[in-house]
Amino acid sequence: MADWSRLPYDIIHKVSTYITAIEDFLAFSAVCCSWRSVYLAKQWQLGPQIPMLMFSDYENSGFRSFISLCRNRVYSTELPEVRGRRCWGSSSGWIVTIGDDLQIHLLNPFTRVSICLPSKSSLQIQFSEILDWHDIIQKVFVFRNPFNSGVNEEGLLVLIIYSPLNQLAFCRPGYSSWKNIRDTNDAGFIDAACLGDRIYAIRDLGSLIAIDIESLAVVNITGQHHPRHVSLSLLPRWDWERLFLVESSGELWIVLQRHKSINSIEFLIYSFDFVKKKWIRLSSLGNSAVFVDSSCSVVTGASEFLNCKSNCVYFVGTRNEERWQNREIHVGLGVYSLEKGVSEPLCFGTDAPRCYSFPLWVTPTMS
């Protein structure tokens, strides 16, 4: 039998260049010490990855399961850093956690790197006396190297929508407090995305704004109108309509999810024309697929990956199912075809996952 550990480093590194999925690279690192040295050197060029679905099978567990569409398998790993904590995913591969200690952390679930963020105490929260700790943060966004900034070695910026009023705040690793974004408009915020060197957000009433990090204020984009099919009086309070903002290859998209009936759901996709200041409905996503949940949204190329369908939207449940703490959740996982205009369940095994932590998409990364 061949002794794989005796292969020269250059050959082992060459083998690693043929690996396309992060789960295969993690398996590669477990072959032996010499193979793991290539892994630890982080010389592997991680190509585009499709998100994995992270969830927990057991209450207050330190274990998390990851569903891989690429391999159609479920992987389980111990992550004591998330035990008893609520988690949010991101398109950059990091998750954000908060616990009843009110401490907030960044965590890469694949490398186990953890970074402390400012605690809840620096947030300007109204009605905090009636707010449970797991409801402080509504949504989280982790942007990598926005504005080409070299402020810290991670090059990350964390933006959150928080409190019952859906306010905005941001920080970077190393900050001592959250920086609140001022907005004279009374409407709260629904979602945000980073496009190039600017961060954009959608207000409750469907209007698009830009966020000026330097002045800690919002900039209205004049002349723009909300997508025609968005019912402004319904957003975001009703569970049959949800709005997501996502960046796709230099474009800014809105993903509108609507329930036409109890058992029927549809998705409409719009791209923002910055010249005409209008949203244009897309009839097709081409070879792309969109992944959405109550935590984050991401667009990825689908044709390169096995078991990932192009021109489709992969979605997780609805907001009224987000009663994750101390109870079992039955979650609807689905994939919607824009071409056919229908959705079908996204199942693994004989049953859909029954979870104690609300499932979320996490895009794998090694950095």
mmCIF file of all heavy atoms in Angstrom, residues 250-295:
data_model
loop_
_atom_site.group_PDB
_atom_site.id
_atom_site.type_symbol
_atom_site.label_atom_id
_atom_site.label_comp_id
_atom_site.label_asym_id
_atom_site.label_seq_id
_atom_site.Cartn_x
_atom_site.Cartn_y
_atom_site.Cartn_z
ATOM 1 N N GLY A 250 -21.861 42.697 -9.462
ATOM 2 C CA GLY A 250 -21.870 44.129 -9.725
ATOM 3 C C GLY A 250 -23.243 44.740 -9.881
ATOM 4 O O GLY A 250 -23.359 45.937 -10.167
ATOM 5 N N GLU A 251 -24.294 43.949 -9.691
ATOM 6 C CA GLU A 251 -25.654 44.463 -9.760
ATOM 7 C C GLU A 251 -26.306 44.374 -8.385
ATOM 8 O O GLU A 251 -25.925 43.549 -7.559
ATOM 9 C CB GLU A 251 -26.504 43.684 -10.775
ATOM 10 C CG GLU A 251 -26.027 43.826 -12.215
ATOM 11 C CD GLU A 251 -26.947 43.103 -13.187
ATOM 12 O OE1 GLU A 251 -27.889 42.414 -12.718
ATOM 13 O OE2 GLU A 251 -26.739 43.232 -14.404
ATOM 14 N N LEU A 252 -27.312 45.223 -8.177
ATOM 15 C CA LEU A 252 -28.065 45.211 -6.925
ATOM 16 C C LEU A 252 -29.452 44.664 -7.213
ATOM 17 O O LEU A 252 -30.189 45.206 -8.047
ATOM 18 C CB LEU A 252 -28.160 46.631 -6.353
ATOM 19 C CG LEU A 252 -28.615 46.763 -4.904
ATOM 20 C CD1 LEU A 252 -27.621 46.087 -3.955
ATOM 21 C CD2 LEU A 252 -28.789 48.233 -4.531
ATOM 22 N N TRP A 253 -29.783 43.562 -6.548
ATOM 23 C CA TRP A 253 -31.062 42.904 -6.787
ATOM 24 C C TRP A 253 -31.969 42.997 -5.565
ATOM 25 O O TRP A 253 -31.487 43.016 -4.420
ATOM 26 C CB TRP A 253 -30.869 41.408 -7.088
ATOM 27 C CG TRP A 253 -30.253 41.104 -8.411
ATOM 28 C CD1 TRP A 253 -29.849 41.991 -9.363
ATOM 29 C CD2 TRP A 253 -29.966 39.803 -8.932
ATOM 30 N NE1 TRP A 253 -29.320 41.326 -10.440
ATOM 31 C CE2 TRP A 253 -29.384 39.982 -10.211
ATOM 32 C CE3 TRP A 253 -30.144 38.510 -8.447
ATOM 33 C CZ2 TRP A 253 -28.975 38.900 -10.992
ATOM 34 C CZ3 TRP A 253 -29.746 37.439 -9.219
ATOM 35 C CH2 TRP A 253 -29.175 37.632 -10.484
ATOM 36 N N ILE A 254 -33.272 43.052 -5.830
ATOM 37 C CA ILE A 254 -34.294 42.818 -4.817
ATOM 38 C C ILE A 254 -34.925 41.464 -5.107
ATOM 39 O O ILE A 254 -35.259 41.158 -6.258
ATOM 40 C CB ILE A 254 -35.372 43.924 -4.819
ATOM 41 C CG1 ILE A 254 -34.999 45.047 -3.844
ATOM 42 C CG2 ILE A 254 -36.731 43.368 -4.430
ATOM 43 C CD1 ILE A 254 -36.065 46.121 -3.715
ATOM 44 N N VAL A 255 -35.073 40.656 -4.065
ATOM 45 C CA VAL A 255 -35.789 39.383 -4.169
ATOM 46 C C VAL A 255 -37.065 39.528 -3.352
ATOM 47 O O VAL A 255 -37.019 39.747 -2.138
ATOM 48 C CB VAL A 255 -34.940 38.211 -3.630
ATOM 49 C CG1 VAL A 255 -35.713 36.898 -3.744
ATOM 50 C CG2 VAL A 255 -33.614 38.113 -4.391
ATOM 51 N N LEU A 256 -38.205 39.452 -4.020
ATOM 52 C CA LEU A 256 -39.501 39.576 -3.360
ATOM 53 C C LEU A 256 -40.145 38.199 -3.248
ATOM 54 O O LEU A 256 -40.354 37.523 -4.253
ATOM 55 C CB LEU A 256 -40.418 40.518 -4.142
ATOM 56 C CG LEU A 256 -41.881 40.601 -3.691
ATOM 57 C CD1 LEU A 256 -41.970 41.132 -2.266
ATOM 58 C CD2 LEU A 256 -42.699 41.461 -4.650
ATOM 59 N N GLN A 257 -40.419 37.783 -2.037
ATOM 60 C CA GLN A 257 -41.101 36.507 -1.786
ATOM 61 C C GLN A 257 -42.552 36.794 -1.425
ATOM 62 O O GLN A 257 -42.839 37.573 -0.523
ATOM 63 C CB GLN A 257 -40.421 35.748 -0.647
ATOM 64 C CG GLN A 257 -41.137 34.475 -0.234
ATOM 65 C CD GLN A 257 -40.504 33.816 0.970
ATOM 66 O OE1 GLN A 257 -39.293 33.873 1.146
ATOM 67 N NE2 GLN A 257 -41.323 33.203 1.813
ATOM 68 N N ARG A 258 -43.474 36.137 -2.128
ATOM 69 C CA ARG A 258 -44.900 36.333 -1.866
ATOM 70 C C ARG A 258 -45.602 34.990 -1.739
ATOM 71 O O ARG A 258 -45.316 34.049 -2.483
ATOM 72 C CB ARG A 258 -45.566 37.124 -2.997
ATOM 73 C CG ARG A 258 -45.015 38.507 -3.220
ATOM 74 C CD ARG A 258 -45.951 39.346 -4.067
ATOM 75 N NE ARG A 258 -46.305 38.689 -5.322
ATOM 76 C CZ ARG A 258 -47.065 39.265 -6.258
ATOM 77 N NH1 ARG A 258 -47.548 40.473 -6.073
ATOM 78 N NH2 ARG A 258 -47.334 38.632 -7.380
ATOM 79 N N HIS A 259 -46.513 34.925 -0.800
ATOM 80 C CA HIS A 259 -47.392 33.765 -0.685
ATOM 81 C C HIS A 259 -48.694 34.093 -1.402
ATOM 82 O O HIS A 259 -49.471 34.933 -0.948
ATOM 83 C CB HIS A 259 -47.661 33.427 0.786
ATOM 84 C CG HIS A 259 -46.503 32.781 1.465
ATOM 85 N ND1 HIS A 259 -46.359 31.428 1.581
ATOM 86 C CD2 HIS A 259 -45.406 33.317 2.052
ATOM 87 C CE1 HIS A 259 -45.236 31.142 2.225
ATOM 88 N NE2 HIS A 259 -44.642 32.281 2.521
ATOM 89 N N LYS A 260 -48.935 33.427 -2.534
ATOM 90 C CA LYS A 260 -50.170 33.656 -3.283
ATOM 91 C C LYS A 260 -51.359 32.998 -2.597
ATOM 92 O O LYS A 260 -52.487 33.437 -2.730
ATOM 93 C CB LYS A 260 -50.008 33.133 -4.710
ATOM 94 C CG LYS A 260 -48.942 33.883 -5.507
ATOM 95 C CD LYS A 260 -48.920 33.465 -6.950
ATOM 96 C CE LYS A 260 -48.432 32.029 -7.116
ATOM 97 N NZ LYS A 260 -48.329 31.633 -8.534
ATOM 98 N N SER A 261 -51.083 31.909 -1.883
ATOM 99 C CA SER A 261 -52.096 31.227 -1.086
ATOM 100 C C SER A 261 -51.362 30.486 0.018
ATOM 101 O O SER A 261 -50.136 30.575 0.141
ATOM 102 C CB SER A 261 -52.912 30.260 -1.950
ATOM 103 O OG SER A 261 -52.080 29.216 -2.441
ATOM 104 N N ILE A 262 -52.083 29.728 0.820
ATOM 105 C CA ILE A 262 -51.452 29.033 1.932
ATOM 106 C C ILE A 262 -50.359 28.083 1.452
ATOM 107 O O ILE A 262 -49.300 27.966 2.075
ATOM 108 C CB ILE A 262 -52.520 28.256 2.745
ATOM 109 C CG1 ILE A 262 -53.478 29.239 3.413
ATOM 110 C CG2 ILE A 262 -51.855 27.371 3.799
ATOM 111 C CD1 ILE A 262 -54.596 28.570 4.179
ATOM 112 N N ASN A 263 -50.595 27.425 0.338
ATOM 113 C CA ASN A 263 -49.656 26.411 -0.142
ATOM 114 C C ASN A 263 -48.907 26.827 -1.401
ATOM 115 O O ASN A 263 -48.265 25.994 -2.043
ATOM 116 C CB ASN A 263 -50.393 25.085 -0.405
ATOM 117 C CG ASN A 263 -51.015 24.516 0.855
ATOM 118 O OD1 ASN A 263 -50.381 24.474 1.901
ATOM 119 N ND2 ASN A 263 -52.268 24.098 0.751
ATOM 120 N N SER A 264 -49.011 28.094 -1.775
ATOM 121 C CA SER A 264 -48.380 28.544 -3.021
ATOM 122 C C SER A 264 -47.487 29.746 -2.748
ATOM 123 O O SER A 264 -47.903 30.717 -2.107
ATOM 124 C CB SER A 264 -49.452 28.920 -4.054
ATOM 125 O OG SER A 264 -48.849 29.383 -5.238
ATOM 126 N N ILE A 265 -46.261 29.679 -3.235
ATOM 127 C CA ILE A 265 -45.280 30.735 -3.010
ATOM 128 C C ILE A 265 -44.637 31.101 -4.334
ATOM 129 O O ILE A 265 -44.528 30.273 -5.249
ATOM 130 C CB ILE A 265 -44.211 30.259 -1.991
ATOM 131 C CG1 ILE A 265 -43.315 31.409 -1.552
ATOM 132 C CG2 ILE A 265 -43.369 29.146 -2.564
ATOM 133 C CD1 ILE A 265 -42.351 31.035 -0.432
ATOM 134 N N GLU A 266 -44.246 32.359 -4.483
ATOM 135 C CA GLU A 266 -43.529 32.777 -5.684
ATOM 136 C C GLU A 266 -42.448 33.784 -5.322
ATOM 137 O O GLU A 266 -42.506 34.434 -4.276
ATOM 138 C CB GLU A 266 -44.478 33.382 -6.719
ATOM 139 C CG GLU A 266 -45.012 34.755 -6.362
ATOM 140 C CD GLU A 266 -45.792 35.400 -7.488
ATOM 141 O OE1 GLU A 266 -45.723 34.898 -8.630
ATOM 142 O OE2 GLU A 266 -46.466 36.426 -7.233
ATOM 143 N N PHE A 267 -41.461 33.904 -6.204
ATOM 144 C CA PHE A 267 -40.378 34.869 -6.038
ATOM 145 C C PHE A 267 -40.297 35.724 -7.286
ATOM 146 O O PHE A 267 -40.339 35.218 -8.422
ATOM 147 C CB PHE A 267 -39.041 34.155 -5.819
ATOM 148 C CG PHE A 267 -38.886 33.556 -4.449
ATOM 149 C CD1 PHE A 267 -39.355 32.272 -4.197
ATOM 150 C CD2 PHE A 267 -38.291 34.266 -3.426
ATOM 151 C CE1 PHE A 267 -39.222 31.710 -2.940
ATOM 152 C CE2 PHE A 267 -38.155 33.704 -2.161
ATOM 153 C CZ PHE A 267 -38.616 32.427 -1.918
ATOM 154 N N LEU A 268 -40.156 37.042 -7.087
ATOM 155 C CA LEU A 268 -39.932 37.990 -8.160
ATOM 156 C C LEU A 268 -38.574 38.642 -7.924
ATOM 157 O O LEU A 268 -38.260 39.033 -6.797
ATOM 158 C CB LEU A 268 -41.031 39.047 -8.207
ATOM 159 C CG LEU A 268 -42.480 38.541 -8.299
ATOM 160 C CD1 LEU A 268 -43.451 39.711 -8.278
ATOM 161 C CD2 LEU A 268 -42.687 37.692 -9.545
ATOM 162 N N ILE A 269 -37.776 38.772 -8.982
ATOM 163 C CA ILE A 269 -36.418 39.324 -8.871
ATOM 164 C C ILE A 269 -36.340 40.619 -9.671
ATOM 165 O O ILE A 269 -36.779 40.679 -10.832
ATOM 166 C CB ILE A 269 -35.354 38.330 -9.385
ATOM 167 C CG1 ILE A 269 -35.627 36.909 -8.882
ATOM 168 C CG2 ILE A 269 -33.955 38.814 -8.995
ATOM 169 C CD1 ILE A 269 -35.455 36.718 -7.409
ATOM 170 N N TYR A 270 -35.745 41.653 -9.056
ATOM 171 C CA TYR A 270 -35.582 42.944 -9.714
ATOM 172 C C TYR A 270 -34.119 43.389 -9.622
ATOM 173 O O TYR A 270 -33.449 43.159 -8.612
ATOM 174 C CB TYR A 270 -36.459 44.012 -9.064
ATOM 175 C CG TYR A 270 -37.943 43.733 -9.109
ATOM 176 C CD1 TYR A 270 -38.537 42.911 -8.153
ATOM 177 C CD2 TYR A 270 -38.741 44.291 -10.101
ATOM 178 C CE1 TYR A 270 -39.904 42.659 -8.188
ATOM 179 C CE2 TYR A 270 -40.112 44.043 -10.137
ATOM 180 C CZ TYR A 270 -40.685 43.218 -9.186
ATOM 181 O OH TYR A 270 -42.028 42.960 -9.218
ATOM 182 N N SER A 271 -33.649 44.052 -10.669
ATOM 183 C CA SER A 271 -32.313 44.646 -10.678
ATOM 184 C C SER A 271 -32.453 46.171 -10.729
ATOM 185 O O SER A 271 -33.301 46.694 -11.468
ATOM 186 C CB SER A 271 -31.521 44.142 -11.893
ATOM 187 O OG SER A 271 -30.248 44.762 -11.954
ATOM 188 N N PHE A 272 -31.630 46.865 -9.954
ATOM 189 C CA PHE A 272 -31.749 48.317 -9.897
ATOM 190 C C PHE A 272 -30.911 48.969 -10.985
ATOM 191 O O PHE A 272 -29.709 48.715 -11.114
ATOM 192 C CB PHE A 272 -31.317 48.847 -8.533
ATOM 193 C CG PHE A 272 -31.625 50.307 -8.339
ATOM 194 C CD1 PHE A 272 -32.931 50.737 -8.232
ATOM 195 C CD2 PHE A 272 -30.613 51.250 -8.271
ATOM 196 C CE1 PHE A 272 -33.237 52.083 -8.049
ATOM 197 C CE2 PHE A 272 -30.898 52.588 -8.091
ATOM 198 C CZ PHE A 272 -32.214 53.010 -7.986
ATOM 199 N N ASP A 273 -31.553 49.807 -11.790
ATOM 200 C CA ASP A 273 -30.883 50.590 -12.828
ATOM 201 C C ASP A 273 -30.485 51.928 -12.208
ATOM 202 O O ASP A 273 -31.344 52.781 -11.951
ATOM 203 C CB ASP A 273 -31.825 50.796 -14.025
ATOM 204 C CG ASP A 273 -31.125 51.453 -15.202
ATOM 205 O OD1 ASP A 273 -30.277 52.346 -14.984
ATOM 206 O OD2 ASP A 273 -31.429 51.096 -16.357
ATOM 207 N N PHE A 274 -29.185 52.109 -11.948
ATOM 208 C CA PHE A 274 -28.721 53.314 -11.270
ATOM 209 C C PHE A 274 -28.797 54.548 -12.163
ATOM 210 O O PHE A 274 -28.747 55.667 -11.668
ATOM 211 C CB PHE A 274 -27.289 53.122 -10.779
ATOM 212 C CG PHE A 274 -27.194 52.297 -9.524
ATOM 213 C CD1 PHE A 274 -27.065 50.915 -9.588
ATOM 214 C CD2 PHE A 274 -27.248 52.898 -8.265
ATOM 215 C CE1 PHE A 274 -26.989 50.153 -8.431
ATOM 216 C CE2 PHE A 274 -27.179 52.141 -7.115
ATOM 217 C CZ PHE A 274 -27.050 50.765 -7.192
ATOM 218 N N VAL A 275 -28.902 54.373 -13.480
ATOM 219 C CA VAL A 275 -29.030 55.514 -14.398
ATOM 220 C C VAL A 275 -30.471 56.007 -14.430
ATOM 221 O O VAL A 275 -30.745 57.200 -14.258
ATOM 222 C CB VAL A 275 -28.560 55.128 -15.815
ATOM 223 C CG1 VAL A 275 -28.795 56.297 -16.780
ATOM 224 C CG2 VAL A 275 -27.094 54.737 -15.802
ATOM 225 N N LYS A 276 -31.399 55.079 -14.612
ATOM 226 C CA LYS A 276 -32.817 55.437 -14.697
ATOM 227 C C LYS A 276 -33.477 55.514 -13.320
ATOM 228 O O LYS A 276 -34.631 55.908 -13.215
ATOM 229 C CB LYS A 276 -33.556 54.430 -15.576
ATOM 230 C CG LYS A 276 -33.063 54.409 -17.013
ATOM 231 C CD LYS A 276 -33.846 53.389 -17.842
ATOM 232 C CE LYS A 276 -33.360 53.369 -19.282
ATOM 233 N NZ LYS A 276 -34.109 52.368 -20.092
ATOM 234 N N LYS A 277 -32.746 55.095 -12.277
ATOM 235 C CA LYS A 277 -33.264 55.100 -10.903
ATOM 236 C C LYS A 277 -34.567 54.293 -10.798
ATOM 237 O O LYS A 277 -35.555 54.747 -10.218
ATOM 238 C CB LYS A 277 -33.501 56.539 -10.416
ATOM 239 C CG LYS A 277 -32.260 57.411 -10.392
ATOM 240 C CD LYS A 277 -31.277 56.934 -9.344
ATOM 241 C CE LYS A 277 -30.200 57.974 -9.073
ATOM 242 N NZ LYS A 277 -29.439 58.354 -10.276
ATOM 243 N N LYS A 278 -34.549 53.091 -11.349
ATOM 244 C CA LYS A 278 -35.750 52.272 -11.302
ATOM 245 C C LYS A 278 -35.381 50.797 -11.187
ATOM 246 O O LYS A 278 -34.274 50.382 -11.567
ATOM 247 C CB LYS A 278 -36.610 52.500 -12.542
ATOM 248 C CG LYS A 278 -35.928 52.103 -13.842
ATOM 249 C CD LYS A 278 -36.772 52.449 -15.065
ATOM 250 C CE LYS A 278 -38.065 51.692 -15.090
ATOM 251 N NZ LYS A 278 -38.829 51.907 -16.352
ATOM 252 N N TRP A 279 -36.318 50.028 -10.639
ATOM 253 C CA TRP A 279 -36.151 48.589 -10.520
ATOM 254 C C TRP A 279 -36.706 47.916 -11.769
ATOM 255 O O TRP A 279 -37.833 48.196 -12.180
ATOM 256 C CB TRP A 279 -36.871 48.067 -9.285
ATOM 257 C CG TRP A 279 -36.266 48.529 -7.994
ATOM 258 C CD1 TRP A 279 -36.695 49.564 -7.209
ATOM 259 C CD2 TRP A 279 -35.131 47.976 -7.341
ATOM 260 N NE1 TRP A 279 -35.888 49.694 -6.111
ATOM 261 C CE2 TRP A 279 -34.918 48.721 -6.153
ATOM 262 C CE3 TRP A 279 -34.265 46.903 -7.625
ATOM 263 C CZ2 TRP A 279 -33.888 48.453 -5.266
ATOM 264 C CZ3 TRP A 279 -33.240 46.634 -6.745
ATOM 265 C CH2 TRP A 279 -33.051 47.397 -5.578
ATOM 266 N N ILE A 280 -35.921 47.026 -12.354
ATOM 267 C CA ILE A 280 -36.317 46.317 -13.568
ATOM 268 C C ILE A 280 -36.467 44.832 -13.248
ATOM 269 O O ILE A 280 -35.525 44.201 -12.740
ATOM 270 C CB ILE A 280 -35.273 46.513 -14.689
ATOM 271 C CG1 ILE A 280 -35.140 48.005 -15.016
ATOM 272 C CG2 ILE A 280 -35.659 45.712 -15.928
ATOM 273 C CD1 ILE A 280 -34.040 48.323 -15.996
ATOM 274 N N ARG A 281 -37.619 44.280 -13.545
ATOM 275 C CA ARG A 281 -37.860 42.877 -13.236
ATOM 276 C C ARG A 281 -37.063 41.969 -14.164
ATOM 277 O O ARG A 281 -36.989 42.196 -15.377
ATOM 278 C CB ARG A 281 -39.354 42.556 -13.341
ATOM 279 C CG ARG A 281 -39.681 41.127 -12.923
ATOM 280 C CD ARG A 281 -41.174 40.869 -12.930
ATOM 281 N NE ARG A 281 -41.457 39.468 -12.716
ATOM 282 C CZ ARG A 281 -42.671 38.933 -12.724
ATOM 283 N NH1 ARG A 281 -43.725 39.737 -12.969
ATOM 284 N NH2 ARG A 281 -42.859 37.653 -12.524
ATOM 285 N N LEU A 282 -36.443 40.950 -13.567
ATOM 286 C CA LEU A 282 -35.676 39.969 -14.335
ATOM 287 C C LEU A 282 -36.540 38.753 -14.635
ATOM 288 O O LEU A 282 -37.210 38.226 -13.740
ATOM 289 C CB LEU A 282 -34.435 39.528 -13.545
ATOM 290 C CG LEU A 282 -33.450 40.627 -13.143
ATOM 291 C CD1 LEU A 282 -32.288 40.028 -12.349
ATOM 292 C CD2 LEU A 282 -32.922 41.364 -14.369
ATOM 293 N N SER A 283 -36.516 38.308 -15.880
ATOM 294 C CA SER A 283 -37.281 37.126 -16.263
ATOM 295 C C SER A 283 -36.497 35.847 -16.032
ATOM 296 O O SER A 283 -37.071 34.758 -15.962
ATOM 297 C CB SER A 283 -37.689 37.209 -17.738
ATOM 298 O OG SER A 283 -36.533 37.304 -18.579
ATOM 299 N N SER A 284 -35.161 35.964 -15.907
ATOM 300 C CA SER A 284 -34.326 34.788 -15.706
ATOM 301 C C SER A 284 -33.064 35.182 -14.950
ATOM 302 O O SER A 284 -32.583 36.313 -15.055
ATOM 303 C CB SER A 284 -33.945 34.159 -17.053
ATOM 304 O OG SER A 284 -32.981 33.130 -16.890
ATOM 305 N N LEU A 285 -32.523 34.242 -14.185
ATOM 306 C CA LEU A 285 -31.261 34.443 -13.469
ATOM 307 C C LEU A 285 -30.095 33.827 -14.225
ATOM 308 O O LEU A 285 -28.973 33.807 -13.717
ATOM 309 C CB LEU A 285 -31.342 33.810 -12.071
ATOM 310 C CG LEU A 285 -32.481 34.280 -11.183
ATOM 311 C CD1 LEU A 285 -32.402 33.603 -9.813
ATOM 312 C CD2 LEU A 285 -32.470 35.793 -11.026
ATOM 313 N N GLY A 286 -30.336 33.302 -15.411
ATOM 314 C CA GLY A 286 -29.270 32.652 -16.167
ATOM 315 C C GLY A 286 -28.748 31.432 -15.429
ATOM 316 O O GLY A 286 -29.510 30.581 -14.982
ATOM 317 N N ASN A 287 -27.431 31.365 -15.270
ATOM 318 C CA ASN A 287 -26.803 30.239 -14.571
ATOM 319 C C ASN A 287 -26.634 30.485 -13.076
ATOM 320 O O ASN A 287 -25.903 29.754 -12.409
ATOM 321 C CB ASN A 287 -25.438 29.925 -15.188
ATOM 322 C CG ASN A 287 -25.556 29.314 -16.570
ATOM 323 O OD1 ASN A 287 -26.505 28.598 -16.847
ATOM 324 N ND2 ASN A 287 -24.593 29.606 -17.435
ATOM 325 N N SER A 288 -27.300 31.498 -12.559
ATOM 326 C CA SER A 288 -27.162 31.833 -11.147
ATOM 327 C C SER A 288 -28.288 31.214 -10.320
ATOM 328 O O SER A 288 -29.347 30.863 -10.835
ATOM 329 C CB SER A 288 -27.159 33.349 -10.949
ATOM 330 O OG SER A 288 -26.037 33.938 -11.576
ATOM 331 N N ALA A 289 -28.029 31.101 -9.019
ATOM 332 C CA ALA A 289 -29.028 30.690 -8.046
ATOM 333 C C ALA A 289 -28.956 31.640 -6.868
ATOM 334 O O ALA A 289 -27.880 32.137 -6.522
ATOM 335 C CB ALA A 289 -28.802 29.250 -7.585
ATOM 336 N N VAL A 290 -30.102 31.915 -6.248
ATOM 337 C CA VAL A 290 -30.181 32.800 -5.096
ATOM 338 C C VAL A 290 -30.533 31.974 -3.865
ATOM 339 O O VAL A 290 -31.406 31.107 -3.922
ATOM 340 C CB VAL A 290 -31.243 33.901 -5.297
ATOM 341 C CG1 VAL A 290 -31.298 34.824 -4.084
ATOM 342 C CG2 VAL A 290 -30.959 34.700 -6.554
ATOM 343 N N PHE A 291 -29.842 32.258 -2.752
ATOM 344 C CA PHE A 291 -30.113 31.604 -1.474
ATOM 345 C C PHE A 291 -30.593 32.668 -0.493
ATOM 346 O O PHE A 291 -29.904 33.669 -0.282
ATOM 347 C CB PHE A 291 -28.858 30.916 -0.927
ATOM 348 C CG PHE A 291 -28.391 29.747 -1.759
ATOM 349 C CD1 PHE A 291 -27.692 29.952 -2.942
ATOM 350 C CD2 PHE A 291 -28.655 28.447 -1.355
ATOM 351 C CE1 PHE A 291 -27.274 28.878 -3.712
ATOM 352 C CE2 PHE A 291 -28.231 27.368 -2.111
ATOM 353 C CZ PHE A 291 -27.534 27.581 -3.300
ATOM 354 N N VAL A 292 -31.779 32.467 0.101
ATOM 355 C CA VAL A 292 -32.317 33.445 1.039
ATOM 356 C C VAL A 292 -32.805 32.746 2.303
ATOM 357 O O VAL A 292 -33.257 31.598 2.270
ATOM 358 C CB VAL A 292 -33.477 34.267 0.421
ATOM 359 C CG1 VAL A 292 -33.010 35.078 -0.768
ATOM 360 C CG2 VAL A 292 -34.647 33.368 0.025
ATOM 361 N N ASP A 293 -32.669 33.440 3.427
ATOM 362 C CA ASP A 293 -33.290 33.041 4.677
ATOM 363 C C ASP A 293 -33.492 34.300 5.503
ATOM 364 O O ASP A 293 -33.258 35.411 5.015
ATOM 365 C CB ASP A 293 -32.472 31.976 5.427
ATOM 366 C CG ASP A 293 -31.086 32.451 5.848
ATOM 367 O OD1 ASP A 293 -30.888 33.676 5.972
ATOM 368 O OD2 ASP A 293 -30.199 31.611 6.071
ATOM 369 N N SER A 294 -33.920 34.164 6.733
ATOM 370 C CA SER A 294 -34.173 35.343 7.559
ATOM 371 C C SER A 294 -32.890 36.000 8.031
ATOM 372 O O SER A 294 -32.915 37.023 8.690
ATOM 373 C CB SER A 294 -35.017 34.964 8.778
ATOM 374 O OG SER A 294 -34.338 34.003 9.564
ATOM 375 N N SER A 295 -31.741 35.416 7.670
ATOM 376 C CA SER A 295 -30.455 35.925 8.123
ATOM 377 C C SER A 295 -29.692 36.640 7.026
ATOM 378 O O SER A 295 -29.245 37.764 7.197
ATOM 379 C CB SER A 295 -29.608 34.780 8.689
ATOM 380 O OG SER A 295 -28.351 35.235 9.097
#
